[in-house]
Amino acid sequence: MKLLEGKTLSANILADVKKRAEKIKETISRPPILRVINYYDDSASSVYMNLKLKKAAQVGIDASAIKPDISKGKNHFLSILQEMASDEKTDAIMVERPLPDGFDDWEFWKKMPPEKDPDCISADNNAKLYLSKDFSSISSGNFFVPCTALAAIKLLEYYGYEFKGKKCAVVGRSAVVGRPLAHMLSSLNATVTLCHSKTADLPFHLKNADYIFLAIGKAKWLKENMIGEGQVVVDIGTNFDEKGSMCGDADFDSVSKKVSAISPVPGGVGPVTLAYLLESSLKALEWKVKK
Ligand code: NAP
């Protein structure tokens, strides 16, 4: 069984980001500036957000987070976004999910400025993503793409896996992970089955796949009896088990005995996502300077 750890790839990306951030600072006498909006301190994404802020400082990105007051409502959220959008010195904006009910909608996606949108939240970047048919245009760097989906693909590429002709099952169809991942895999000429909570006979689709991507947010959900022999599992889930330890959507101990390769949680897709988020934040300033 091959362990698809993501720390080495993440370190490689971050080393490059650090060099580029130093270069841009020499040119314009300031570092890239990333601002994060985070409503919930106890979410799984908060864990990654804190790591993101720490890593950002290490690679020369000035990153800070704010926690708006939920009781001030949606207009307050949109006005913070508006302020960040018009601030000359804010290069990149990230909004951590989950958001309070009713905030994650068209009004928000429209307000996110596409040139400051490193994780592809804005309507504009999403339109470019879904109108691009092949992966070379998606990864060309001309617009921002969802970093988690990109990280899952880049992790497999790093270990030499190919996609053309492969059967991929993506479990989870959220706008931020499952759906963009399915689209990107299809753009790489894989044949994709996008599964969700209403999928009939899920074990059939899982057993039929060469590669299984998990993004449902349920601790240790995938069991050994739900998969075939020798498959590749990319676990994107970030959950906490009953002991409070971080774990993925796969029951790692049992599933890892049956697969040919699996990404661990923590230490798999997560660190690679983080590196791409910081790279995209830097790119936002690089593109601005180039213009
Ligand atoms: P989400 O918005 O809650 O979506 C969950 C998806 O899983 C939904 O499409 C849902 O189906 C599906 N689902 C739930 N239970 C299911 C089941 N029993 N069988 C089949 N499908 C099921 O979650 P998300 O934002 O995509 O995040 C998913 C996971 O990825 C979370 O653990 C999150 O923390 C993690 N994540 C990790 C990273 C990283 O860098 N590693 C980044 C982002 C997110 P329906 O559509 O039918 O409801």
Side-chain angles (χ1 to χ4, degrees):
M1 188 275 295
K2 191 190 276 184
L3 191 67
L4 307 172
E5 66 84 19
K7 289 182 184 164
T8 314
L9 173 58
S10 173
N12 295 347
I13 298 163
L14 289 173
D16 174 57
V17 170
K18 190 171 183 203
K19 273 194 220 144
R20 284 159 55 192
E22 278 162 10
K23 196 168 159 207
I24 206 143
K25 195 175 172 188
E26 278 167 23
T27 316
I28 62 162
S29 306
R30 73 162 177 86
I33 297 175
L34 161 67
R35 293 173 72 194
V36 184
I37 302 175
N38 182 42
Y39 272 93
Y40 300 102
D41 288 335
D42 54 354
S43 63
S45 69
S46 261
V47 176
Y48 275 109
M49 185 196 75
N50 292 327
L51 258 178
K52 204 155 55 194
L53 299 182
K54 199 170 136 200
K55 286 279 177 199
Q58 289 170 4
V59 298
I61 294 176
D62 180 345
S64 59
I66 61 159
K67 183 180 176 212
D69 183 347
I70 298 183
S71 70
K72 290 190 175 168
K74 186 172 165 189
N75 284 342
H76 177 60
F77 167 57
L78 294 177
S79 70
I80 294 172
L81 200 57
Q82 183 64 53
E83 181 271 313
M84 290 181 177
S86 52
D87 176 27
E88 257 302 294
K89 281 195 177 159
T90 299
D91 304 308
I93 306 167
M94 276 181 212
V95 180
E96 299 292 342
R97 273 133 165 162
L99 279 167
D101 284 348
F103 283 27
D104 202 353
D105 67 0
W106 180 246
E107 246 184 306
F108 156 49
W109 309 327
K110 260 196 323 188
K111 271 240 163 21
M112 175 62 97
E115 70 282 4
K116 296 188 181 187
D117 174 26
D119 202 20
C120 190
I121 284 170
S122 68
D124 193 87
N125 282 320
N126 271 289
K128 285 178 180 153
L129 171 67
Y130 289 104
L131 292 171
S132 299
K133 205 174 142 202
D134 59 284
F135 192 67
S136 58
S137 13
I138 291 172
S139 59
S140 63
N142 294 328
F143 59 94
F144 293 113
V145 302
C147 290
T148 308
L150 182 70
I153 287 174
K154 291 289 183 181
L155 184 66
L156 282 190
E157 276 187 344
Y158 175 73
Y159 284 98
Y161 290 93
E162 291 183 351
F163 297 93
K164 188 176 170 197
K166 297 293 179 192
K167 287 178 276 181
C168 295
V170 176
V171 195
R173 57 177 165 182
S174 75
V176 279
V177 189
R179 233 177 311 143
L181 176 58
H183 175 66
M184 286 186 196
L185 289 166
S186 161
S187 79
L188 281 160
N189 297 318
T191 299
V192 187
T193 305
L194 181 55
C195 307
H196 45 79
S197 68
K198 312 287 184 297
T199 297
D201 202 359
L202 192 51
F204 165 79
H205 296 292
L206 296 176
K207 286 183 178 159
N208 196 36
D210 298 304
Y211 306 158
I212 297 171
F213 296 83
L214 300 171
I216 71 168
K218 297 225 160 106
K220 301 182 184 177
W221 169 84
L222 185 78
K223 307 289 184 215
E224 189 190 356
N225 62 358
M226 295 160 75
I227 57 171
E229 295 286 339
Q231 293 174 303
V232 174
V233 171
V234 179
D235 194 347
I236 300 166
T238 311
N239 317 292
F240 296 97
D241 65 16
E242 60 290 344
K243 290 183 190 141
S245 305
M246 189 181 277
C247 66
D249 288 344
D251 182 6
F252 186 88
D253 291 342
S254 73
V255 168
S256 60
K257 290 189 186 116
K258 208 166 175 186
V259 295
S260 63
I262 183 167
S263 66
V265 180
V269 177
V272 183
T273 303
L274 190 152
Y276 278 121
L277 285 168
L278 294 181
E279 196 210 14
S280 289
S281 303
L282 165 70
K283 255 191 216 166
L285 179 58
E286 287 178 336
W287 290 348
K288 188 156 77 177
V289 169
K290 214 168 161 189
K291 261 192 191 167

